[in-house]
């Protein structure tokens, strides 16, 4: 018997068809993957199940009974709990406050803070105990890294002791080890009869964790498969119609001219004495375990973090103490956390995409709307951004398409160095390839890239060289033949291949 | 060895968390010092009583304003609600000239209740009808103003002698106005432990995420405005006891002053962080600046100018704390 089932779910947003006649079902105690390209409707389906979005038509059944879920409280009452792709945390509240938000234990009419603290610690322990670094309960979540926030969001969902757990790209900003810890917990929940819906763009995760998968394409269910009898290629074909592969990339060799050089760059406790040269048309990777200072180095070069040391741009020493200075020099940032830094979410796709390059096209301070629409359409076309109308607000795009919009806006500027901070987080396979292609193309035009990524495959596919960071320092440089996944992992953990142990 | 993050709040973290409040404390202490310098009997107990009594209406208004600002909203009708409370209390006193003892409490209770109701109405406009807070309370401001004029078209009336002398009396060495303030602070100390207040912060931090977490955002907003109205009621009461008469325009300046006090007190207008304790300090700072200008013998023409400049400086200093925190 199906634990959770949907029948004939339809949802349109204005003219955009997000879901069409979706029949979806999973059995009790099953871990069921929900797959599909960016904008195929995965998040929308989750939100309909959780009552955050109302379906136009169709019914959700729980234990074969039609469930009237009109909002989050109905969802909790049904034993459903969700990790949202865009997270549902309150940045100002502490970790403990966030984990129990909406279900604080009370005593004499007030919050019983002792009991709350104990409960929050208990819940967080279920995942955080197995990790190397602990997450303090008392700090506001906005001071956590995005991976830590992700873990807190997961803890918050677990705190509801769900019978049905929806994980919408819950692992997108996590590294291998953290992912495994989360999986362990998910499997434990399954043993207790919890049903899990798992959404991810990383297919190896899907094969590792799930039993069955339902694939959405353009808002319709195209297949439901048993993963044991399915290959990655099959899944990709279901998701995309046709199969594309990363192997087709051929990044041209860099030129000799050095564009950016940093000397003895340090910033408080985040990183120390970083030295490197970036040549024209080069893609330089920053690898290593999560949170070893990679993002911070990128922020410093972008002028968003105070630093000591020197930055030379085209041979000249430059003072970059705010992002405007970086952008003026032609250094731009594609952030991993597009919600915070990359986009003005309420504004339209067109405005977001054209904003940084508007000055190039304006005449006497005036803009031609037609021309703006044309260039936006060009970007949308080139990156295959799925959007019905470029005048719609960016926050109506699916997660992956928002990320493409961030990259798109910098494509229009004549930037010389692009800083990419985990740029394909939450981006589907197809779009990822399109983003790689754009990087490749810009690279052949002499644009240089500094790329930090939580995905080793991405570093290998794109980079000429990778600098591996550990505790704020560069501990290895890998290039050419040496640039393999094995070596990357070993260097990240400071293990010399063949020799066990930490140096 | 990797630098481990402390699992208990460190001194630095605590300090950073309270930076905005600390900034207002610093400003407050400075202003008190200047005031003391210009007015040698500043710490005289009668001077203290008179100061607190004068500041109390703004203090209460600022606490009320804080409630809605924490949720990321604003109340532009606050001053007019205070006026309504004032004229209602005075009118009721006028209607019961023989009242003594506990009967005197009736106009007071009705007045505070009217404040609470008015706030609740604002809350409904914003939460249920989904009007923008600025627009909704600007419109309701006109409504409350009109209502006050209808109740009491011309200034007048008085508070019964028994009551005003009670308000000026001392109890256990402290003036009644100070007891009033202490009582409200105790009330806040209890209130801040409730879920309601926690949810003010959550809704102000991110309303849609609060909604997804199962918080009934609409009711929280109504609660914030109702509580704001309740404090407007207390403000109206303190004002009435202080000026001992009714005036259909009296509360008006309190709207903007309360917002200024909230900001000086380190509460962000964008919502989600701050506290009414800061706002109390903010209100006192505003009052003390007025004092200083008076005692410094600033010519009347320049008083508003100087006041404006000092307020801007106070805002800058207190925002230093807030900016550090968000950086
Ligand atoms: N609030 C909204 N208003 C308008 N359109 C929307 C809204 N939410 C989603 N959409 C559209 O519905 C479609 C499905 O979006 P959804 O977020 O469900 O995709 P997804 O499968 O989760 O993609 P991703 O992998 O990128 O997260 C997209 O075309 C998106 O633009
Ligand atoms: Mg999604």
């Amino acid at each position: 018997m199906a634990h959770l089932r949907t029948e004939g779910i339809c949802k349109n947003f204005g003219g955009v068809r997000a879901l069409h006649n979706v029949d979806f079902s999973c059995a009790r105690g099953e871990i069921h993957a929900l797959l599909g390209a960016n904008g195929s409707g995965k998040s929308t389906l989750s939100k309909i199940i959780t009552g955050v979005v109302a379906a136009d038509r169709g019914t959700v059944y729980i234990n074969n009974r039609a469930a009237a879920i009109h909002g989050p409280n109905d969802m909790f009452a049904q034993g459903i709990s969700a990790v949202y792709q865009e997270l549902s945390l309150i940045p100002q509240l502490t970790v403990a406050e966030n984990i129990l938000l909406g279900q604080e234990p009370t005593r004499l009419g007030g919050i019983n803070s002792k009991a709350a603290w104990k409960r929050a610690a208990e819940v967080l322990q279920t995942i955080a105990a197995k990790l190397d670094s602990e997450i303090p309960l008392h700090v506001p979540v906005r001071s956590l890294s995005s991976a830590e926030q992700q873990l807190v969001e997961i803890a918050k969902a677990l705190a509801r002791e769900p019978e049905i757990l929806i994980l919408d790209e819950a692992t997108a900003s996590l590294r291998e080890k953290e992912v495994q810890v989360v999986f362990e917990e998910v499997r434990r929940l399954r043993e207790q009869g919890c049903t899990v819906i798992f959404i991810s763009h990383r297919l190896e995760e899907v094969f590792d964790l799930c039993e069955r998968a339902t694939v959405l394409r353009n808002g319709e269910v195209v297949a439901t498969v048993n993963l044991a009898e399915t290959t990655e290629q099959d899944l990709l074909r279901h998701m995309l119609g046709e199969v594309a592969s990363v192997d087709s990339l051929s990044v041209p060799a860099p030129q000799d001219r050095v564009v950016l050089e940093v000397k003895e760059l340090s910033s408080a406790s985040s990183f120390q004495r970083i030295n490197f040269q970036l040549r024209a048309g080069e893609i330089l990777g920053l690898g290593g375990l999560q949170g070893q200072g990679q993002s911070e180095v990128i922020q410093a070069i972008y002028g968003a973090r105070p630093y000591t040391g020197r930055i030379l741009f085209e041979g000249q020493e430059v003072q970059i103490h705010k992002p405007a200075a970086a952008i003026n020099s032609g250094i731009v940032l594609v952030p991993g956390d597009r919600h915070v830094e990359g986009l003005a979410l309420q504004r339209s796709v067109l405005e977001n995409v054209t904003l940084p390059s508007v000055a190039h096209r304006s005449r006497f301070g005036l803009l031609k709307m037609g021309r703006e629409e044309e260039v936006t359409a060009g970007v949308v076309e080139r990156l295959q951004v799925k959007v019905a109308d470029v005048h719609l607000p960016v926050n109506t795009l699916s997660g992956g398409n928002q990320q493409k919009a961030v990259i798109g806006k910098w494509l229009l500027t004549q930037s010389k160095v692009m800083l990419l901070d985990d740029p394909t987080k939450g981006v589907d396979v197809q779009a990822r390839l399109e983003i790689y292609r754009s990087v490749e193309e810009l690279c052949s035009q002499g644009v240089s890239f500094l790329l930090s990524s939580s995905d080793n495959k991405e570093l290998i596919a794109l980079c000429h060289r990778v600098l591996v960071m550990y505790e704020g320092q560069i501990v290895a440089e890998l290039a050419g033949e040496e640039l393999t996944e094995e070596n990357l992992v070993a260097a990240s953990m400071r293990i010399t291949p063949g020799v066990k142990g930490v140096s | 060895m990797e630098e481990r993050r402390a699992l208990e709040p460190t001194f630095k973290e605590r300090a950073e968390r309270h930076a905005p409040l600390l900034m207002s404390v610093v400003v407050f202490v400075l202003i008190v010092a200047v005031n003391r310098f210009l007015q040698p009997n500043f710490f005289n107990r009668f001077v203290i009583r008179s100061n607190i009594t004068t500041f109390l209406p703004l203090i209460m208004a600022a606490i009320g304003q804080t409630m809605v600002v924490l949720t990321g909203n604003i109340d532009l009708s606050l001053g007019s609600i205070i006026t309504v409370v004032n004229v209602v209390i005075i009118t009721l006193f006028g209607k019961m000239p023989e009242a003594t003892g506990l009967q005197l409490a009736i106009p007071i209770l009705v007045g505070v209740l009217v404040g609470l109701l008015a706030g609740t109405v604002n809350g409904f406009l914003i939460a249920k009808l989904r009007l923008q807070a600025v627009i909704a309370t600007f419109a309701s401001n006109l409504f409350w103003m009109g209502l006050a004029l209808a109740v009491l078209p011309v200034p007048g009336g008085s508070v019964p002698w028994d009551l005003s002398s009670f308000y000026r009396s001392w109890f256990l060495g402290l003036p009644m106005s100070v007891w009033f303030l202490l009582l409200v602070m105790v009330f806040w100390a209890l209130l801040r432990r409730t879920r309601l207040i926690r949810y003010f912060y959550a809704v102000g931090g991110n309303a849609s995420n609060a909604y997804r977490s199962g918080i009934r955002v609409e009711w929280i907003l109504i609660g914030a405005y109702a509580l704001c109205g309740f404090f407007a009621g207390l403000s109206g009461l303190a004002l009435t006891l202080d000026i001992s008469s009714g005036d259909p325009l009296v509360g008006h300046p309190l709207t903007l002053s309360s917002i200024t006090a909230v900001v000086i007190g380190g509460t962000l207008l964008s919502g989600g962080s701050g506290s009414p304790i800061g706002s109390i300090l903010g209100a006192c700072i505003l009052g003390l600046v007025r004092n200083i200008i008076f005692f410094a013998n600033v010519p009347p023409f320049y008083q508003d100018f100087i006041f404006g400049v000092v307020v801007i400086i106070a805002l800058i200093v207190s925002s230093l704390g807030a900016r550090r925190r968000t950086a």
Side-chain angles (χ1 to χ4, degrees):
Chain A
M1 186 189 79
H3 188 190
L4 173 79
R5 186 159 63 82
T6 73
E7 212 175 81
I9 301 272
C10 294
K11 178 73 195 176
N12 292 310
F13 291 103
V16 183
R17 191 178 80 173
L19 292 174
H20 185 70
N21 269 335
V22 171
D23 296 339
F24 168 83
S25 134
C26 46
R28 182 176 287 279
E30 181 187 14
I31 305 180
H32 196 110
L34 192 55
L35 303 177
N38 291 139
S40 56
K42 305 177 297 293
S43 297
T44 306
L45 184 59
S46 325
K47 285 181 192 159
I48 286 173
I49 296 172
T50 61
V52 171
V53 167
D56 296 341
R57 245 174 344 105
T59 320
V60 177
Y61 295 90
I62 290 166
N63 291 324
N64 265 346
R65 264 208 303 268
I69 303 177
H70 299 299
N73 282 307
D74 297 335
M75 131 187 166
F76 292 132
Q78 296 278 3
I80 305 176
S81 156
V83 165
Y84 293 94
Q85 185 174 7
E86 58 277 22
L87 307 190
S88 64
L89 303 173
I90 310 289
Q92 295 90 338
L93 294 187
T94 65
V95 171
E97 287 165 350
N98 266 289
I99 289 177
L100 293 184
L101 190 60
Q103 48 161 354
E104 298 83 356
T106 54
R107 193 172 144 259
L108 303 173
I111 294 173
N112 183 346
S113 39
K114 251 201 199 130
W117 184 270
K118 210 173 131 229
R119 173 91 181 105
E122 212 174 83
V123 175
L124 192 61
Q125 274 309 306
T126 56
I127 35 183
K130 296 162 203 132
L131 296 172
D132 307 332
S133 66
E134 273 175 280
I135 300 174
L137 281 170
H138 66 271
V139 302
V141 296
R142 66 156 170 248
S143 67
L144 301 180
S145 71
S146 52
E148 288 169 327
Q149 293 191 9
Q150 183 88 67
L151 290 170
V152 172
E153 171 89 0
I154 294 172
K156 180 180 167 188
L158 295 179
R160 295 272 178 176
E161 299 183 333
E163 283 175 40
I164 297 176
L165 176 64
I166 301 177
L167 299 171
D168 190 353
E169 302 201 16
T171 53
S173 45
L174 302 184
R175 302 243 169 183
E176 183 62 26
K177 171 137 195 224
E178 294 154 336
V179 171
Q180 284 311 325
V181 171
V182 171
F183 281 8
E184 227 172 274
E185 184 57 23
V186 168
R187 289 192 183 107
R188 200 182 61 74
L189 283 175
R190 176 194 40 198
E191 297 309 308
Q192 298 168 1
C194 178
T195 303
V196 182
I197 297 176
F198 181 74
I199 299 174
S200 170
H201 288 296
R202 299 183 185 161
L203 292 182
E204 53 294 10
E205 288 180 2
V206 170
F207 278 103
D208 182 3
L209 185 69
C210 308
E211 288 116 48
R212 290 199 304 154
T214 294
V215 183
L216 288 173
R217 196 199 303 163
N218 292 327
E220 289 182 63
V221 174
V222 289
T224 297
V225 297
N226 257 333
L227 287 166
E229 300 147 16
T230 315
T231 66
E232 202 161 305
Q233 292 302 309
D234 293 337
L235 285 183
L236 287 176
R237 203 168 39 243
H238 287 312
M239 283 160 65
L240 309 168
E242 86 213 60
V243 189
S245 138
V246 187
D247 303 332
S248 58
L249 280 182
S250 66
V251 184
Q255 304 164 17
D256 291 334
R257 186 168 56 91
V258 173
V259 177
L260 182 78
E261 178 167 10
V262 307
K263 287 186 173 164
E264 299 289 302
L265 205 66
S266 303
S267 172
S269 58
S270 351
F271 58 84
Q272 293 84 38
R273 316 189 56 183
I274 302 294
N275 292 292
F276 64 78
Q277 293 187 332
L278 179 65
R279 286 179 293 163
E282 184 176 37
I283 307 177
L284 179 61
L286 289 178
L289 300 175
Q290 180 137 20
Q292 303 298 313
Q294 298 96 332
S295 293
E296 287 81 358
V297 169
I298 284 185
Q299 281 167 12
I301 298 174
Y302 189 56
R305 170 175 286 270
Y307 61 84
T308 59
R310 307 201 305 148
I311 298 180
L312 282 77
F313 185 70
E314 300 189 317
Q316 302 272 326
E317 174 151 6
V318 284
Q319 299 293 332
I320 302 180
H321 292 300
K322 46 179 186 237
I327 295 169
N328 275 338
S329 311
I331 302 177
V332 301
L333 172 75
V334 176
D337 203 344
R338 55 189 171 264
H339 290 252
V340 184
E341 301 158 84
L343 292 167
L345 288 170
Q346 306 332 329
R347 310 303 308 173
S348 74
V349 176
L350 181 131
E351 285 172 283
N352 271 287
V353 168
T354 54
L355 184 67
S357 55
V358 137
H360 304 310
R361 292 186 304 275
S362 65
R363 273 218 190 153
F364 313 116
L366 298 176
L367 288 170
K368 273 213 209 104
M369 205 51 187
R371 175 91 182 103
E372 296 300 292
E373 281 175 348
E374 212 173 283
V375 293
T376 310
V379 170
V380 165
E381 164 82 46
R382 187 152 147 205
L383 292 179
Q384 305 273 307
V385 183
K386 198 171 171 238
V387 55
D389 179 351
V390 293
H391 296 288
L392 286 175
V394 163
N395 59 9
T396 66
L397 298 192
S398 77
N401 282 307
Q402 291 181 10
Q403 188 66 348
K404 289 193 228 168
V406 183
I407 297 179
K409 72 178 200 181
W410 297 120
L411 288 181
L412 291 175
T413 63
Q414 275 108 39
S415 35
K416 293 176 181 144
V417 175
M418 287 184 114
L419 308 169
L420 308 180
D421 191 3
D422 228 341
T424 56
K425 183 170 128 187
V427 172
D428 72 44
V429 199
Q430 180 76 37
R432 194 176 291 209
L433 204 64
E434 278 144 17
I435 289 170
Y436 294 169
R437 291 246 163 76
S438 313
V439 169
E440 183 188 342
E441 186 192 324
L442 288 168
C443 175
S444 63
Q445 291 166 15
V447 178
S448 314
F449 290 86
L450 186 60
L451 164 71
S452 150
S453 176
S454 55
D455 184 351
N456 284 339
K457 291 199 179 65
E458 177 166 298
L459 290 173
I460 293 165
L462 281 177
C463 296
H464 296 107
R465 276 189 300 148
V466 175
L467 305 173
V468 180
M469 291 188 65
Y470 188 82
E471 289 185 6
Q473 293 182 339
I474 295 175
V475 292
E477 177 175 336
L478 299 171
E481 303 275 275
E482 288 165 13
L483 187 50
T484 64
E485 201 158 2
E486 234 173 32
N487 285 346
L488 268 178
V489 171
S492 308
M493 294 160 49
R494 308 204 72 183
I495 302 169
T496 339
V499 188
K500 285 267 150 85
V502 182
S503 66
Chain B
M1 187 62 210
E2 189 189 340
E3 190 190 340
R4 282 203 163 237
R5 252 183 308 184
L7 292 180
E8 290 292 316
T10 60
F11 178 73
K12 193 165 153 254
E13 278 172 342
R14 272 177 216 265
E16 264 172 24
R17 194 153 197 198
H18 296 294
L21 194 58
L22 289 178
M23 277 299 170
S24 14
V25 172
V26 169
V27 175
F28 177 74
V29 170
L30 276 176
I31 300 250
V32 165
V34 175
N35 203 334
R36 163 68 184 74
F37 175 75
L38 292 171
Q39 186 189 2
N41 66 350
F42 180 72
F43 288 115
N44 175 293
R45 61 194 209 119
F46 291 99
V47 175
I48 291 179
R49 178 181 69 179
S50 130
N51 273 339
I52 301 270
T53 312
T54 318
F55 300 167
L56 209 49
L58 179 58
I59 291 176
M60 297 297 162
I63 297 175
Q65 190 68 263
T66 313
M67 300 297 116
V68 295
V69 170
L70 284 179
T71 67
N73 286 279
I74 204 158
D75 188 352
L76 296 181
S77 70
L78 186 56
S80 301
I81 296 180
I82 293 168
T83 310
V84 171
V85 174
N86 167 254
V87 299
V88 165
I89 293 179
I90 286 295
T91 310
L92 285 178
F93 277 135
K95 291 228 151 69
M96 37 197 294
E98 308 292 304
T100 49
L102 276 183
Q103 287 173 330
L104 291 173
I106 296 172
I108 293 178
L109 287 179
V110 173
V112 174
L113 211 63
V114 165
L116 178 72
L117 267 176
T120 312
V121 170
N122 278 342
F124 266 93
L125 292 179
I126 288 151
K128 292 288 180 189
L129 303 185
R130 316 225 166 203
L131 300 178
Q132 288 275 319
V134 172
I135 305 299
T137 56
F138 180 72
S140 70
N141 174 51
L142 298 175
F143 176 76
W144 309 129
M145 254 163 80
L147 187 66
L149 277 167
V151 174
L152 187 76
V154 284
S158 67
V159 173
W161 174 250
D162 284 359
L163 190 59
S164 39
S165 66
F166 171 75
Y167 190 54
R168 262 161 247 293
S169 67
W170 301 73
F171 179 66
L172 298 179
L174 292 175
M176 283 303 160
S177 51
V178 171
W179 282 111
F180 193 169
L181 180 58
L182 287 178
L183 225 65
V184 168
M185 285 167 82
V186 169
F187 176 61
W188 167 251
L190 295 174
L191 196 64
R192 63 176 270 262
R193 291 169 207 277
T194 60
R195 288 188 185 203
L196 182 70
I197 302 295
R198 169 77 53 85
Y199 295 168
F200 287 176
Y201 287 88
V203 169
N206 185 325
S208 77
N209 285 354
Y211 173 73
R212 285 175 191 196
S213 310
I215 293 173
R216 292 179 169 82
V217 176
E218 293 175 7
W219 289 103
I220 300 304
L221 289 182
I222 292 173
Y225 275 95
L227 209 49
C228 175
F230 172 72
F231 283 109
L234 295 184
S235 170
L237 172 61
L239 185 67
T240 311
L241 291 173
D242 182 30
I243 64 175
S244 194
S245 71
D247 179 345
L249 293 169
V250 67
H252 192 64
L254 288 172
T255 302
L256 283 181
S257 314
S258 68
I259 296 169
T260 315
V262 166
V263 176
I264 293 181
T267 298
L268 298 179
L269 286 182
S270 49
S273 75
S275 107
I277 302 300
S279 309
I280 295 176
L281 286 175
C284 293
I285 290 169
L286 285 181
L288 291 170
V289 170
R290 282 260 177 235
N291 271 356
I292 290 174
I293 290 174
F294 176 78
F295 284 101
N297 280 323
V298 174
F301 288 132
Y302 295 115
Q303 286 192 358
D304 279 340
F305 174 76
I306 303 277
F307 183 69
V309 170
V310 175
V311 168
I312 287 173
I313 294 173
L315 285 173
I316 292 170
V317 173
S318 57
S319 80
L320 289 180
R323 207 172 304 154
R324 239 199 83 71
R325 202 176 25 151
T326 46

